[in-house]
Amino acid sequence: MNRASEVVDFHVADRIAWVSFNRPEKRNAMSPALNRRMMEVLDALEYRDDVGVLVLKGAGESWSAGMDLKEYFRETEAQGLAGVRKSQRESYGWFRRLRWYQKPTIAMVNGWCFGGAFGPLFACDLAIAADEAKFGLSEINWGILPGGGVTKVVVDLLSMRDAMYLALTGDLIDGRTAAAWRLVNESVPLERLEARVTELANLLLAKNPVAIKAAKDAVRRVKEMTYDNAEDYLVRAQEAANSFDPAARKEGIRQFIDEKSYKPGLASYDLSKQKDRAG
Ligand code: ACO
């Protein structure tokens, strides 16, 4: 399915949902219409059996140029507080939805990534950038602070010095620097970006999906917990995962200890055998 006329484009191939910001003529700036549509698309894809990983990319030369200064800021401000709050709910809403998405998510940052786009960047579990991508907190350049969660994102992901540098200078960093600063996992030349993201997605597709969801939520949740709270949360999260998929870990142990068909230190157990045994 390909509906290029829409502000969000998506298609599913080989269990990967490729979702695109699709306003290339506006450098994929996030308008209220785009934010509403993104929530619908995330909704439609989240529990589809043929989707195991979601990749968020940008059409054209941009990942996303952040919030749309005309449609998201100026036009909603003209509607008064109710308009502003509505458009904030719509954008923060899908960022939050993506942070806690059922399937693992990868940001494939192919180009410009400004300001508000750090929200979905952080919401994705993993991020691979093109060396040529450019990241910046341009808010300061047009007279505001990095809001909408953006300051929180950079403080969570970066050192205080690097976060402060981006927030105060509005300077750009490229994909390689973003990787060195750990804003993204890695960067690769643009021509290899899709292949690398596909490889990473396939690695995730080979894992137990219940364990993946439990693990990705745990990484985000424990960050704000004390050690003891985290320990308790993780015991309960695993027990909850066991209730969703009681066979998983037993099968993982069986294939290693009894069948000797794989080594957990080197790869995943074979999910298809678990399905076969479940009949
Ligand atoms: N909001 C609204 N319109 C935008 C945005 C945006 N964030 N970004 C680009 N556009 C529009 C331009 O106004 C232009 O529209 P037009 O063709 O109707 O004149 C079109 O997209 C193309 O933009 P250009 O500036 O011509 O593209 P160029 O490739 O030369 O530059 C760049 C790209 C650097 C991304 C530039 O467009 C830019 O600086 N955009 C704003 C980035 C930004 O500061 N975003 C806000 C971050 S703060 C926040 O999100 C809260």
Side-chain angles (χ1 to χ4, degrees), residues 118-189:
F118 279 51
L121 178 70
F122 176 67
C124 288
D125 302 319
L126 298 166
I128 310 290
D131 293 342
E132 298 87 340
K134 293 275 191 297
F135 299 79
L137 299 189
S138 56
E139 286 89 337
I140 202 72
N141 290 341
W142 60 279
I144 68 164
L145 62 74
V150 170
T151 296
K152 174 71 174 152
V153 167
V154 289
V155 167
D156 268 10
L157 293 182
L158 306 179
S159 75
M160 189 276 257
R161 293 290 179 216
D162 291 339
M164 194 69 89
Y165 185 86
L166 288 181
L168 299 192
T169 67
D171 259 9
L172 294 172
I173 57 171
D174 66 11
R176 283 182 193 183
T177 304
W181 289 10
R182 312 311 295 142
L183 182 60
V184 298
N185 292 91
E186 61 187 78
S187 83
V188 295

Side-chain angles (χ1 to χ4, degrees):
M1 195 177 344
N2 196 322
R3 297 171 293 183
S5 61
E6 296 207 22
V7 288
V8 175
D9 184 32
F10 69 95
H11 70 278
V12 175
D14 300 326
R15 305 202 55 233
I16 304 171
W18 298 89
V19 178
S20 297
F21 296 109
N22 193 35
R23 300 178 73 213
E25 73 291 353
K26 298 290 181 187
R27 304 299 179 262
N28 300 327
M30 290 178 276
S31 60
L34 183 145
N35 291 328
R36 282 191 290 274
R37 182 67 188 138
M38 191 64 88
M39 183 67 111
E40 289 171 2
V41 168
L42 293 180
D43 256 339
L45 292 169
E46 188 163 17
Y47 294 101
R48 270 174 58 165
D49 290 338
D50 62 340
V51 173
V53 174
L54 184 143
V55 175
L56 184 57
K57 63 201 260 290
E61 67 203 56
S62 220
W63 194 62
S64 170
M67 309 319 293
D68 188 307
L69 268 55
K70 176 169 169 283
E71 295 184 36
Y72 181 85
F73 285 105
R74 188 161 68 189
E75 290 177 6
T76 55
E77 276 170 28
Q79 295 162 20
L81 188 60
V84 170
R85 290 287 181 262
K86 179 170 183 289
S87 62
Q88 288 170 336
R89 277 196 307 277
E90 288 167 348
S91 61
Y92 305 165
W94 78 260
F95 301 171
R96 188 177 310 115
R97 183 67 177 275
L98 195 58
R99 280 202 302 284
W100 303 104
Y101 209 59
Q102 183 67 30
K103 311 290 168 66
T105 55
I106 305 172
M108 180 171 115
V109 186
N110 48 297
W112 300 113
C113 178
F114 280 109
F118 279 51
L121 178 70
F122 176 67
C124 288
D125 302 319
L126 298 166
I128 310 290
D131 293 342
E132 298 87 340
K134 293 275 191 297
F135 299 79
L137 299 189
S138 56
E139 286 89 337
I140 202 72
N141 290 341
W142 60 279
I144 68 164
L145 62 74
V150 170
T151 296
K152 174 71 174 152
V153 167
V154 289
V155 167
D156 268 10
L157 293 182
L158 306 179
S159 75
M160 189 276 257
R161 293 290 179 216
D162 291 339
M164 194 69 89
Y165 185 86
L166 288 181
L168 299 192
T169 67
D171 259 9
L172 294 172
I173 57 171
D174 66 11
R176 283 182 193 183
T177 304
W181 289 10
R182 312 311 295 142
L183 182 60
V184 298
N185 292 91
E186 61 187 78
S187 83
V188 295
L190 183 59
E191 76 258 20
R192 284 197 20 233
L193 182 62
E194 190 170 319
R196 175 62 188 128
V197 168
T198 304
E199 185 180 68
L200 181 59
N202 284 328
L203 188 63
L204 299 174
L205 286 170
K207 313 292 179 195
N208 180 291
V210 173
I212 284 260
K213 169 65 171 155
K216 60 178 253 173
D217 286 2
V219 169
R220 289 186 191 272
R221 291 281 184 213
V222 300
K223 192 166 185 355
E224 294 177 358
M225 294 181 191
T226 62
Y227 191 93
D228 283 349
N229 286 347
E231 199 177 65
D232 189 49
Y233 168 87
L234 292 168
V235 166
R236 287 159 209 287
Q238 183 56 53
E239 286 168 0
N242 293 348
S243 75
F244 278 108
D245 189 352
R249 68 204 186 287
K250 293 179 185 161
E251 179 62 14
I253 294 172
R254 189 193 70 77
Q255 289 182 22
F256 176 48
I257 299 293
D258 304 331
E259 199 176 83
K260 298 194 184 304
S261 54
Y262 84 114
K263 294 181 192 294
L266 305 180
S268 298
Y269 77 96
D270 184 344
L271 291 177
S272 66
K273 287 186 192 165
Q274 182 182 336
K275 277 194 202 127
D276 291 348
R277 285 164 69 82

